[in-house]
Amino acid sequence: MKRALVLMLTFLIVIFLGLTSGVFAADFPDVSEKHLNFDAISYLTEIGVIAGYEDFTFRPEREITRTEFCALMARTLGYDKETYVLADIPFYDVPEEYWGRGYISFCFEKGLINGMEEGVFAPADKVTVAQAVKMTVCAVGKGEEALSTNGEKWYSGYMTVASENGLLDKMSQKADENAARSNVAQIVYNMLMSDVFNEQEDEETTENPENSEREELSDEELSEIEMVFSQKDFSDVKVILVDAGHNYQGKDIGAENLDYGVREEEITWQIADKLRENLEDMGYIVVMTREKMTDSIANTSVTDSLQARVDLAHTSFADLFISIHCNIGNGIGKGIESYCFQLGGYSARLAALVQEKVSESTGLYDRGVKTANFFVNKNTLMPSVLIETGFMDNEHDMEILASRDGQERIATAIARAVREYDTMEPIENAAIEEENYDEEA
Ligand SMILES: [Zn+2]
């Protein structure tokens, strides 16, 4: 029952690869590939900030309320229900218990809204195109510029600045009209793709050490880590580090398939996210290196990115490390391979199970278990595998990698491998993984 519910929610929330090409299009029957706003709708559904309806339609013509638009903007700009602390907001028509209060509060704090008039937000009113434009202009940091740009109407300055920055591309409605979902999706998409927004994001990323620079672990932390890991029984699994390979931006970007319009870091995250759900359903605790698809962990260099993943596994005292990647090779490679640092230990045991289950459930070519000096395998103190889930330049592999069903099959197979691993007896005289640690340090 719970599983079915989770599956259904996943279906409604996460949804669909296929960013710019039509190959894995958002398959809403009411949004054809020829729809003016098709790319925008596909992209936003894929990153999970907007969803279709239970009957699988998108309803592009439907108008939305001011609160619904706040919700969309908040989700797009990183609102997290679990951690967000409500601010005092000056709107008497938004009561404490109102479902959208968090979103409204978030947008208010970001300076995107200031209400209709003193004390009034009008949460259930339809959002107009002009109001949506104003919020996106403020979100890209151009609010003041718009205010000082003259015009006839209150929104003239916003419209001018929006147009100058590409925010009105493919918008089919006029400023005064109530915004339809198609146009709302388009303007949020325009915002995400705009140079002004991304320059601003880059600045924030460089300012925010958590998201860009790796923090060195202290000597105390390192010795505690070594102590804990020296006493662990690696045949018993509770905490699993799931590593969605590569970063969304910065130096550690993965492979790309231009025909499909997809990047490795998008596929690895999609699979990792499904793996998380499967493992959590089995009762495991999962730590993700990238919580959201658009996250980047220590994106200043590839080594920093990899070391940050290893550090996170150590500070979470994870029992297993599973890194998900996709292969690429001049058009002739195919199939799945699983890597560990050395044979004869727990990592190799897990790699063998993962390799067997994933190739079985996907039917992709079985390239077997291999050893390599991959950073995340070599430098982790816990059993660690890196799985290359298929080739991004192979048509047949891509059918699995870029489809929701294929990703789900990979994820459930890895989860089954973990569960089987967890039921097995300890290995006597297993290759000791912590030796690698000193070598690296
Ligand atoms: Zn990779």
Side-chain angles (χ1 to χ4, degrees), residues 186-204:
Q186 187 65 48
I187 195 163
V188 172
Y189 176 79
N190 291 346
M191 173 185 84
L192 285 173
M193 298 301 150
S194 70
D195 291 342
V196 267
F197 181 76
N198 290 304
E199 280 158 19
Q200 183 184 263
E201 285 271 290
D202 287 349
E203 275 168 33
E204 278 170 21

Side-chain angles (χ1 to χ4, degrees), residues 246 264 325-326 388:
H246 302 282
E264 182 183 353
H325 282 257
C326 310
E388 294 281 7

Side-chain angles (χ1 to χ4, degrees), residues 321-334:
F321 187 106
I322 300 172
S323 187
I324 296 170
H325 282 257
C326 310
N327 243 324
I328 195 140
N330 50 36
I332 46 170
K334 61 169 182 181

